Amino acid sequence: MVRGLCIRLLGIPPTEVRITGIGKFEPPADFGFLPRPEYFLELVPIDMLDDEESGYVVYLNGDEPIEIEVLGNSE
């Protein structure tokens, strides 16, 4: 039997999304975890734009590393 440390890296694979909302909680939201979210992005994967129930929220002041690359602007 081998004993040791097992590390799993979990995360969201690179995904092309549309930002549907940007927000700020004042004061920071108390959702029961720390750090309390202050800024957030509402995102919908490009291939799911027609589904009104799709999408997710990313809190920007957490400990998880987030890399964002702007691919275009819909203006």
Side-chain angles (χ1 to χ4, degrees):
M1 178 183 229
V2 177
R3 292 186 179 191
L5 178 64
C6 177
I7 298 175
R8 283 194 175 172
L9 300 176
L10 302 175
I12 301 171
T15 306
E16 193 171 330
V17 298
R18 175 169 289 162
I19 297 173
T20 58
I22 301 171
K24 179 177 181 177
F25 297 112
E26 287 191 38
D30 186 1
F31 292 142
F33 57 85
L34 296 174
R36 291 191 170 125
E38 189 173 355
Y39 296 96
F40 64 91
L41 294 177
E42 296 173 352
L43 309 171
V44 177
I46 293 294
D47 60 346
M48 300 182 80
L49 287 173
D50 296 333
D51 184 352
E52 293 180 14
E53 296 184 13
S54 66
Y56 48 91
V57 173
V58 174
Y59 301 111
L60 299 177
N61 62 321
D63 292 335
E64 301 85 7
I66 298 172
E67 184 177 323
I68 298 172
E69 177 183 350
V70 177
L71 300 178
N73 195 337
S74 62
E75 288 185 29

